[in-house]
């Protein structure tokens, strides 16, 4: 069927009922991609992964809802782009069956909910420390949307690594019957991670913002670690993506990884316009606590910074204690 727009649970239920498994013996599997709109190629990659997961007979729904619960005081709720017509086009081309774009009244019929989900200590670190209450609001709306869409599987980008880890923990701890699938970060040709906030960057700010991805890749790749300045680093398109590696890391420890990334970010503080670092952290992917220098196994190298008025995040996963 062609792409349909639903704005209520009743509308979405009708659409799902039309899509039955072959023979009509069981409902088709539903895959949900939960977004706040302003869709870009990164979201399209999630939709394509969802379609591949449930197959041609499955039902793929993209939600578009700017969730007020996850915006703090002074954050960009009113500024956040609303581009529903363009979102419908992106979702349809990527293979979605429906876009669910409910109003705030549909999601929160009694106003701000009295009962919400709490992210706990893991949600108070890094992004949670910078944005108090953000992850409580995120988990609350994700929980509601997983129920509203009746999802069998839901797809999230690994760019928001802490969000993905918390959603997985919520599903596990609260016994949600949903499979959570992470999809690799999609990057622009220059290495900048795709984000709806990239549109706010001026050309000069965008050039400075490249320090985020270049710091991550420099920390990962031993043969770029001695380059002195972000503008001297090789273009990120010449570097392998986060699933591969160039150069042998060998037994280099967590402190060396952090130092390599920080050198690039420190240099970018002197750029015009400058980069203002929020945090750089090398953390355990299970609970997002900092890993010690002797850590072996997977670790997430995460960074958040502001360029001008725009706040950006990025991360890659490294395996420490073994050649990359």
């Amino acid at each position: 069927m062609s792409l349909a727009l639903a704005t209520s649970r009743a509308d979405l239920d009708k659409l799902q009922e039309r899509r039955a498994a072959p023979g009509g013996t069981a409902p088709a599997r539903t895959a949900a991609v939960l977004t706040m709109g302003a869709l870009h190629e990164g979201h399209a990659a999630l939709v394509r992964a969802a379609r591949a997961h449930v197959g041609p007979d499955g039902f793929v729904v993209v939600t578009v809802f700017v969730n007020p619960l996850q915006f703090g005081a002074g954050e960009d709720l009113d500024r956040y782009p609303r581009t529903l017509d363009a979102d419908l086009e992106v979702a349809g081309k990527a293979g979605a069956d429906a876009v669910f774009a409910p109003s705030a009244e549909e999601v929160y019929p009694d106003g701000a909910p009295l009962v919400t989900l709490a992210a706990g200590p893991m949600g108070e670190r890094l992004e949670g420390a910078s944005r108090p209450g953000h992850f409580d609001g995120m988990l609350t709306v994700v929980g509601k949307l997983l129920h509203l869409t009746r999802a069998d599987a839901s797809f999230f980008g690994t760019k928001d690594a802490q969000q993905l880890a918390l959603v997985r923990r919520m599903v596990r701890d609260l016994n949600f019957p949903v499979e959570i699938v992470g999809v690799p970060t999609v990057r622009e040709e220059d290495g900048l991670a795709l984000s709806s906030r990239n549109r706010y960057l001026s050309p000069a700010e965008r050039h400075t913002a490249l320090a985020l991805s270049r710091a991550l890749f420099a920390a990962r790749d031993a043969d770029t670690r001695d380059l002195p300045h972000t503008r001297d680093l090789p273009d990120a398109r010449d570097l392998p993506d986060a699933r591969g590696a160039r150069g042998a890391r060998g037994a280099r420890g967590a402190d060396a990884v952090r130092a390599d990334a920080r050198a690039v970010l420190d240099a970018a503080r002197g750029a015009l316009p400058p980069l203002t670092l929020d945090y750089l952290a090398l953390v355990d992917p299970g609970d997002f606590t900092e890993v010690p220098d002797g850590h072996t196994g997977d670790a997430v190298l995460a960074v958040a910074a502001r360029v001008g008025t725009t706040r950006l995040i990025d991360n890659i996963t490294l395996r420490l204690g073994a050649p990359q």
Side-chain angles (χ1 to χ4, degrees), residues 111-181:
L114 297 180
V115 177
T116 61
L117 291 174
M122 184 175 168
E124 297 171 357
R125 299 168 187 141
L126 302 187
E127 285 299 290
S130 297
R131 305 175 67 189
H134 166 73
F135 285 126
D136 293 351
M138 180 275 293
L139 289 179
T140 297
V141 79
V142 166
K144 289 179 71 73
L145 289 171
L146 291 178
H147 289 310
L148 288 168
T149 60
R150 301 180 182 179
D152 298 295
S154 191
F155 291 72
F156 294 82
T158 58
K159 183 179 81 71
D160 295 297
Q162 192 173 4
Q163 170 181 277
L164 173 59
L166 281 162
V167 170
R168 282 177 166 155
R169 191 75 203 194
M170 176 189 74
V171 165
R172 174 179 156 188
D173 287 353
L174 301 183
N175 300 106
F176 278 52
V178 183
E179 179 183 2
I180 302 300
V181 182

Side-chain angles (χ1 to χ4, degrees), residues 307-319:
V307 182
T309 60
T310 304
R311 186 175 185 275
L312 300 170
I313 63 172
D314 202 350
N315 73 86
I316 59 173
T317 298
L318 304 172
R319 182 171 292 275

Side-chain angles (χ1 to χ4, degrees), residues 5-280:
L5 173 64
T7 58
S8 70
R9 168 69 181 267
D11 291 342
L12 189 60
D13 285 348
K14 290 176 183 177
L15 293 172
Q16 288 175 304
E17 287 167 5
R18 294 179 198 167
R19 178 64 63 88
T25 58
R29 281 176 56 79
T30 293
V33 177
L34 312 184
T35 84
M36 292 205 300
L39 302 188
H40 49 64
E41 177 57 27
H43 298 106
L46 299 179
V47 177
R48 289 192 293 268
R51 170 56 65 203
H53 188 81
V54 299
D57 296 316
F59 185 81
V60 176
V61 57
V62 176
T63 69
V64 173
F65 179 65
V66 182
N67 177 35
L69 292 191
Q70 64 194 74
F71 287 80
E75 291 192 331
D76 55 357
L77 173 60
D78 293 334
R79 185 187 179 202
Y80 200 88
R82 275 79 165 173
T83 57
L84 183 57
D85 288 343
D87 294 343
L88 293 171
E89 183 175 358
V90 171
K93 287 182 178 179
D97 295 301
V99 167
F100 179 44
S103 65
E105 292 73 24
E106 180 74 18
V107 178
Y108 303 118
D110 299 317
L114 297 180
V115 177
T116 61
L117 291 174
M122 184 175 168
E124 297 171 357
R125 299 168 187 141
L126 302 187
E127 285 299 290
S130 297
R131 305 175 67 189
H134 166 73
F135 285 126
D136 293 351
M138 180 275 293
L139 289 179
T140 297
V141 79
V142 166
K144 289 179 71 73
L145 289 171
L146 291 178
H147 289 310
L148 288 168
T149 60
R150 301 180 182 179
D152 298 295
S154 191
F155 291 72
F156 294 82
T158 58
K159 183 179 81 71
D160 295 297
Q162 192 173 4
Q163 170 181 277
L164 173 59
L166 281 162
V167 170
R168 282 177 166 155
R169 191 75 203 194
M170 176 189 74
V171 165
R172 174 179 156 188
D173 287 353
L174 301 183
N175 300 106
F176 278 52
V178 183
E179 179 183 2
I180 302 300
V181 182
V183 178
T185 299
V186 176
R187 298 183 180 277
E188 302 195 42
E189 286 189 0
D190 57 11
L192 190 67
L194 280 177
S195 169
S196 58
R197 289 187 168 94
N198 290 355
R199 69 185 66 194
Y200 301 145
L201 297 169
S202 70
E205 289 171 341
R206 182 188 173 87
H207 190 63
T208 296
L210 294 178
L212 274 73
S213 58
R214 294 181 176 187
L216 299 178
F217 287 123
R220 186 198 63 194
D221 296 327
D223 57 350
T224 65
R225 56 189 283 240
D226 295 326
L227 295 174
H229 193 279
T230 181
R231 284 168 173 73
D232 296 326
L233 281 169
D235 195 315
R237 78 188 75 180
D238 297 326
L239 299 173
D241 66 25
R243 292 167 294 172
R246 181 182 63 186
R249 176 165 302 287
R252 293 182 69 242
D255 286 350
V257 170
R258 283 184 277 251
D260 289 342
R262 187 169 292 278
V264 175
L265 297 168
D266 284 348
R269 291 171 58 190
L272 292 175
L275 178 144
T276 302
L277 183 64
D278 188 346
Y279 63 76
L280 172 70

